């Protein structure tokens, strides 16, 4: 399955490279615009591969009391940040490369910042599960933003190639369509996570005390997982 996704992405990327080369050689934009919808498919398939903070998003939503509408906003915030950060790094590459990029397609500094912030969110969830504090209206979107600080490597490759060919606008347009595809996949993850949690707690509707304990327990475990993974990833680098 993973190999199929990788090969599928490679096919689209090679076709995109041909389109960018045609633009750079003086070709018209009409053919490129007709190719843009492939960016949605490209982004959706790419988000199915390991990474993209799917586990973080699912863990947070399964442990919080976030509703579907807020879960979708969190997934959109994650997708937008994930792709936008990569575009900004590529466009502002000269001042940012030495500071943020340690290897091709990665930004270790931003990754560590993202993980540390998610660790704070995890600790906050544990604290709240123990009976302290309350959830905030926009907490899900904040989590999405923090998780999205890790830039999308394929967006970096697309932008770098487009900039090297003198058509950065083409890279930005394709990145925007990729963002839609990534958001579609992550939105599915968000909805499934929330529906799973709601289905689980629905079984305990007739037992309010047990329901409260279960809700707090799920949130506490989710918080511990987020904090533990964040600590492990930061200290193992």
């Amino acid at each position: 399955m993973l190999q199929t996704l990788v090969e599928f992405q490679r096919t689209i990327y090679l076709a995109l490279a041909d389109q960018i080369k045609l633009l750079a050689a003086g070709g018209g934009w009409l053919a490129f615009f007709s190719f843009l919808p492939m960016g949605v498919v490209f982004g959706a398939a790419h988000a199915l591969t390991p990474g993209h903070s799917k586990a973080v998003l699912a863990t947070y939503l399964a442990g919080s009391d976030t509703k579907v509408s807020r879960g979708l906003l969190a997934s959109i915030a994650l997708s937008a940040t994930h792709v936008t950060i990569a575009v900004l790094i590529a466009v502002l590459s000269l001042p940012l490369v030495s500071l943020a990029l340690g290897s091709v397609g990665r930004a270790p500094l931003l990754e560590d910042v993202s993980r540390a912030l998610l660790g704070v969110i995890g600790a906050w969830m544990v604290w709240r599960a123990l009976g302290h504090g309350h959830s905030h209206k926009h907490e899900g979107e904040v989590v999405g933003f923090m998780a999205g600080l890790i830039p999308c490597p394929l967006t970096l490759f697309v932008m770098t190639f487009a900039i090297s060919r003198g058509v950065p606008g083409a890279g930005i347009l394709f990145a925007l369509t990729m963002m839609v595809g990534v958001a579609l996949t992550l939105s599915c993850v968000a909805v499934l996570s929330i529906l799973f949690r709601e289905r689980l707690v629905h079984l305990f509707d007739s037992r309010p005390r047990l329901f409260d304990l279960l809700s707090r327990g799920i949130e506490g475990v989710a918080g511990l997982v987020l904090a533990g993974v964040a600590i492990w990833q930061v200290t193992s680098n």
Side-chain angles (χ1 to χ4, degrees):
M1 177 64 176
L2 178 59
Q3 186 60 35
T4 300
L5 286 172
V6 170
E7 288 299 323
F8 181 66
Q9 292 175 78
R10 182 174 181 273
T11 300
I12 297 178
Y13 182 79
L14 291 176
L16 171 66
D18 289 338
Q19 292 291 332
I20 289 178
K21 289 176 183 177
L22 287 173
L23 275 179
W29 282 86
L30 184 59
F32 185 79
F33 282 130
S34 66
F35 180 78
L36 276 181
M38 290 303 297
V40 178
V41 181
F42 189 52
H46 181 53
L48 286 172
T49 58
H52 312 286
S53 300
K54 291 188 294 295
V56 169
L57 182 66
T59 300
Y60 168 75
L61 293 176
S64 70
D65 57 358
T66 304
K67 301 301 181 185
V68 170
S69 59
R70 286 289 170 187
L72 290 175
L73 287 176
S75 63
I76 292 171
L78 198 165
S79 307
T81 308
H82 184 55
V83 174
T84 301
I85 286 292
V87 171
L88 290 176
I89 288 176
V91 172
L92 305 175
S93 58
L94 290 179
L96 284 180
V97 162
S98 61
L99 174 66
L101 298 181
S103 59
V104 177
R106 294 193 57 210
L109 177 62
L110 290 175
E111 291 176 14
D112 286 342
V113 170
S114 173
R115 288 161 181 162
L117 291 174
L118 289 172
V120 172
I121 288 291
W124 167 248
M125 291 176 71
V126 173
W127 177 255
R128 195 168 58 200
L130 294 174
H132 310 285
H134 304 281
S135 60
H136 295 283
K137 182 178 180 181
H138 299 289
E139 185 177 282
E141 295 95 298
V142 173
V143 171
F145 172 78
M146 291 176 178
L149 287 175
I150 300 174
C152 175
L154 270 188
T155 303
L156 279 171
F157 294 146
V158 168
M159 285 299 303
T160 301
F161 186 77
I163 291 171
S164 70
R165 294 285 174 166
V167 284
I172 293 173
L173 286 174
F174 195 77
L176 289 174
T177 59
M178 278 183 63
M179 186 190 300
V180 175
V182 172
L184 288 174
T185 296
L186 294 184
S187 292
C188 290
V189 171
V191 171
L192 290 174
S193 301
I194 294 171
L195 291 179
F196 167 77
R197 184 198 70 220
E198 291 182 346
R199 179 63 179 172
L200 183 63
V201 299
H202 179 68
L203 298 175
F204 297 88
D205 278 350
S206 60
R207 300 179 180 180
R209 288 177 62 85
L210 186 58
F211 170 78
D212 182 63
L213 287 174
L214 178 66
S215 298
R216 292 182 183 277
I218 292 175
E219 182 173 30
V221 170
L224 285 172
V225 170
L226 283 180
V229 170
I231 293 171
W232 174 72
Q233 289 184 332
V234 170
T235 55
S236 64
N237 288 337

